[in-house]
Amino acid sequence: MNRTEPLSGVPFTFEGKAAMMERALGSAGISILCQDARLSIFYAENLPPYFAALFAPGGSDAALFGDAHGRYLTALKHKVLETGIPNNAEVEIPIDGEMRTYELKIQRTGEHGKYGLLSVMAEVTESRHREKVLKSLLRELSHRSKNLLAIIQGIATQTARNTLSLDSFLGKFRGRLQSLSNSQDLITDSSWRGAYLFELAEKQFAPYWPETSGSMPIYGINAHLTPNAAVHLGLALHELIVNSASYGAISGGGASITLNCREAMIGERRAIEVAWAEVLQDQSEIHEFSDNSFGRTVLERVVPSSVNGKAELSLVPGRIEYRLTIPETEFEIFKRV
């Protein structure tokens, strides 16, 4: 291509350029308004049907946008005329039962004594909606991040109180952080909607479940938990499976454990009950969680309080049983098997 010589062909006429500009405005969804120093609209181009029906040469902003918007735009445009500093404005207009948002970019035109205004108008309804959604998501992310940091801080503090050495602290703390991470992965994968109970339990059990014991014994209703319930139930399941791997059925060479979820009630509210049952190898043994252990605190206090439910840890000869009742505000049942 010759880059030094002018391009060949017939130059566009003024009329041809005007026609191209009209097509460009139409495809871009942009409208043009021209006003004189008295703010009378003497020219408009490519108005949307709603505004085109209201437009008449010599009309005002109030006639086009309504009285309230008209007063606002008049004050703003007088200031642009006086200072020469461009300004922007947004107006919301109910059209066919839906609120639509339009942005106007306003600037002064002409010479001293013959000033006028040029306003370029474009609909920004969808972009403003996306901005609102993004801001809402960012606020939600900030809120959840703060909650997660508070949980981590609590885990660190309580773990430190109940361990006697740095190595012991690091081992337990890393395990609990991994439990949080596993739950958080499921929540994030669902776009922050929560996690299914069965997937949550499998995620928490997998690092400790013996390969020789077959599939994990999870039964009942696969309830979909809120993010809050998923995080805290994940912590409870982690404490139960780690205890079993360290001192209970799994450590004894067996895996006599079941996790079952069924419908229940808390007062007059619908609920689910998540029940852990573990059979110890020594049927006469009464397993003991230390009264001041973090695991017992998580199971009996932290988790039920966080989900507005209730819990019971039962230590009887040869068995460890744990029941957590979760109210309907923290779960949904999409499918009953």
Side-chain angles (χ1 to χ4, degrees):
M1 178 183 291
N2 185 347
R3 297 184 182 275
T4 58
E5 297 295 330
L7 294 176
S8 61
V10 179
F12 285 112
T13 63
F14 176 79
E15 291 78 8
K17 290 180 181 178
M20 288 189 66
M21 286 298 296
E22 286 183 14
R23 287 198 295 272
L25 287 174
S27 62
I30 294 174
S31 306
I32 301 295
L33 293 171
C34 295
Q35 292 168 276
D36 58 25
R38 296 174 301 170
L39 300 187
S40 294
I41 304 172
F42 63 85
Y43 175 78
E45 184 65 54
N46 196 43
L47 289 175
Y50 172 84
F51 294 104
L54 298 173
F55 171 70
S60 65
D61 285 309
L64 206 58
F65 300 104
D67 291 337
H69 290 313
R71 289 191 294 271
Y72 161 64
L73 290 172
T74 296
L76 186 67
K77 289 180 177 181
H78 275 307
K79 190 172 182 179
V80 174
L81 281 172
E82 292 168 6
T83 64
I85 300 173
N87 211 330
N88 297 340
E90 284 191 8
V91 295
E92 290 189 332
I93 308 292
I95 300 175
D96 297 330
E98 184 178 0
M99 195 65 73
R100 312 299 293 179
T101 305
Y102 293 87
E103 182 184 53
L104 288 86
K105 297 181 180 296
I106 306 161
Q107 61 184 27
R108 191 173 71 184
T109 60
E111 301 175 352
H112 183 67
K114 296 182 180 179
Y115 288 140
L117 289 177
L118 171 68
S119 298
V120 178
M121 184 174 75
E123 184 176 353
V124 293
T125 306
E126 299 305 323
S127 62
R128 293 298 179 266
H129 175 70
R130 287 193 293 270
E131 287 175 7
K132 289 179 181 178
V133 170
L134 180 59
K135 287 179 181 178
S136 176
L137 289 173
L138 289 174
R139 284 194 298 269
E140 179 69 11
L141 179 59
S142 175
H143 173 71
R144 293 185 186 279
S145 297
K146 289 176 182 178
N147 284 347
L148 197 57
L149 288 173
I151 292 171
I152 293 171
Q153 184 179 29
I155 289 174
T157 301
Q158 293 297 328
T159 303
R161 284 178 182 172
N162 293 281
T163 52
L164 300 177
S165 69
L166 179 60
D167 287 343
S168 176
F169 166 79
L170 290 175
K172 292 179 180 179
F173 185 61
R174 285 169 181 159
R176 286 161 181 160
L177 280 186
Q178 187 59 54
S179 167
L180 272 179
S181 176
N182 289 339
S183 300
Q184 203 64 39
D185 284 345
L186 294 176
I187 294 168
T188 303
D189 289 346
S190 71
S191 300
W192 295 87
R193 289 190 294 271
Y196 282 99
L197 171 61
F198 288 12
E199 290 179 290
L200 179 70
E202 288 170 357
K203 197 89 167 174
Q204 296 295 338
F205 293 170
Y208 307 96
W209 191 254
E211 293 182 2
T212 57
S213 297
S215 60
M216 300 177 194
I218 306 169
Y219 306 108
I221 299 169
N222 191 15
H224 188 267
L225 305 167
T226 65
N228 176 63
V231 165
H232 287 93
L233 179 57
L235 286 174
L237 295 175
H238 172 77
E239 295 301 327
L240 289 166
I241 194 69
V242 167
N243 181 75
S244 181
S246 302
Y247 312 106
I250 294 176
S251 70
S256 302
I257 298 169
T258 58
L259 186 73
N260 197 6
C261 178
R262 66 179 184 85
E263 293 186 74
M265 299 290 290
I266 296 181
E268 297 182 353
R269 293 184 299 168
R270 284 193 325 119
I272 53 171
E273 182 187 77
V274 180
W276 166 284
E278 178 176 355
V279 179
L280 303 176
Q281 190 175 35
D282 183 350
Q283 291 295 294
S284 64
E285 176 188 356
I286 298 179
H287 185 82
E288 293 186 7
F289 276 87
S290 174
D291 287 341
N292 65 348
S293 73
F294 180 60
R296 187 157 193 163
T297 301
V298 166
L299 294 171
E300 294 185 317
R301 293 168 50 192
V302 174
V303 172
S305 173
S306 298
V307 300
N308 296 313
K310 62 180 184 178
E312 179 184 0
L313 177 63
S314 177
L315 307 173
V316 297
R319 292 178 67 85
I320 299 173
E321 296 179 353
Y322 178 70
R323 291 183 177 84
L324 174 66
T325 308
I326 302 173
E328 61 184 341
T329 52
E330 296 287 347
F331 72 88
E332 291 181 275
I333 300 175
F334 295 122
K335 183 178 180 181
R336 290 175 170 82
V337 180

